[in-house]
Amino acid sequence: MNITSDTPVCEIAVAFPTAIPVLERFSLNYCCSGQHTLAEACAERDQFVGPVLEELGRLHHDSASTETDWQTAPSTQLIDHIVGKHHKFSREQLALISDLAVEVERRHGDRHPEIFQVSTAVASVTSELTHHFFCEENLLFPYVAQLEAEETPTLPPMFGSVGQPVTRMILDHEHTGNELRLLREITHDYQLPDDACTTYRALYRALEDLEQDLHEHIHLENNILFPRVLAAAKERQ
């Protein structure tokens, strides 16, 4: 694959997962709005596309890598990876972040009232993801497993077709992406105040780790799993 400024960012992430850390480093969105080109993504961040292309050009795809190729792996294997790694991490990380935020509020809330906005945004993300994960793990993912096993998959009567829950999940992803951007605005890109204690630093580090994991998580679903599910369902019609 020849990467140019006109290459969609999602295609770069799908074809070369090793490029994801580069995209993250330049704060380029490859999950929720990954259909835009590399040039468009750079323009959104006021970033020159040249340095990004140069760094991506230095990446060499290692065909002997033991990293799983999620483009060709079975959907059930991808789902197990999403649930076992990303869902698990998000749940644990959000619990940690909530505890840290309470402590930072207690110690620094009088001098840094923005920390209360952080807690509100985190509570919103937690509520959204709790419902989102439930829908995926109990409705959508079992459907996908049936589809891959060539069984006759069924969805609850509220869903007319698999396109409806998939669309709902994608909209959830976009909303979560907006919440992550809001957190960056509130924290000024996680810039720590001069009087930040160890707990304050741990909170911001945990939030950044959550953000990066959610980017990878959403990418796997929006750009690999969901298009595959829609295509498979269409073939069964």
Side-chain angles (χ1 to χ4, degrees):
M1 177 183 179
N2 182 34
I3 300 174
T4 72
S5 59
D6 293 324
T7 304
V9 183
C10 66
E11 292 185 12
I12 297 172
V14 169
F16 301 107
T18 53
I20 288 177
V22 176
L23 301 176
E24 287 280 354
R25 190 156 58 252
F26 286 100
S27 299
L28 302 181
N29 189 346
Y30 60 90
C31 53
C32 296
S33 302
Q35 294 297 333
H36 54 194
T37 67
L38 184 61
E40 291 168 340
C42 288
E44 286 182 4
R45 301 297 299 176
D46 293 325
Q47 167 68 50
F48 290 113
V49 72
V52 182
L53 280 170
E54 183 178 347
E55 189 155 350
L56 290 172
R58 286 197 290 265
L59 291 176
H60 297 286
H61 181 61
D62 184 2
S63 59
S65 173
T66 58
E67 184 177 347
T68 303
D69 182 358
W70 296 118
Q71 284 184 278
T72 59
S75 295
T76 48
Q77 183 182 351
L78 176 53
I79 286 171
D80 288 344
H81 172 75
I82 289 170
V83 174
K85 179 184 178 183
H86 296 294
H87 284 197
K88 181 176 184 291
F89 180 82
S90 290
R91 287 179 170 123
E92 293 174 350
Q93 197 75 350
L94 284 165
L96 170 64
I97 288 168
S98 179
D99 291 342
L100 290 171
V102 168
E103 187 64 19
V104 173
E105 285 178 3
R106 185 180 68 80
R107 295 183 182 182
H108 300 274
D110 57 336
R111 297 184 303 281
H112 300 287
E114 69 275 7
I115 196 62
F116 295 101
Q117 293 178 274
V118 169
S119 293
T120 299
V122 168
S124 178
V125 171
T126 301
S127 177
E128 291 167 5
L129 289 181
T130 297
H131 181 261
H132 182 87
F133 292 168
F134 177 86
C135 291
E136 286 188 333
E137 293 172 10
N138 293 278
L139 299 174
L140 182 57
F141 288 170
Y143 174 94
V144 175
Q146 290 177 312
L147 192 66
E148 188 167 77
E150 298 186 349
E151 299 174 1
T152 302
T154 57
L155 283 169
M158 69 185 74
F159 297 121
S161 70
V162 71
Q164 289 178 285
V166 166
T167 299
R168 179 68 259 176
M169 295 302 99
I170 291 174
L171 289 174
D172 285 353
H173 290 165
E174 292 177 357
H175 198 271
T176 298
N178 290 335
E179 292 286 353
L180 294 175
R181 283 188 286 276
L182 175 61
L183 278 165
R184 279 205 169 269
E185 291 176 10
I186 294 169
T187 61
H188 304 288
D189 283 333
Y190 298 113
Q191 181 177 346
L192 287 160
D194 293 337
D195 60 343
C197 65
T198 301
T199 306
Y200 214 133
R201 294 175 185 276
L203 172 63
Y204 276 23
R205 179 69 263 173
L207 284 166
E208 288 192 279
D209 289 346
L210 174 69
E211 178 187 62
Q212 181 170 344
D213 186 80
L214 281 169
H215 285 168
E216 295 179 11
H217 172 185
I218 292 170
H219 156 67
L220 289 175
E221 293 187 358
N222 279 15
N223 299 330
I224 299 178
L225 180 62
F226 291 165
R228 184 188 300 175
V229 170
L230 293 174
K234 187 175 181 180
E235 289 180 2
R236 293 288 297 271
Q237 289 178 352

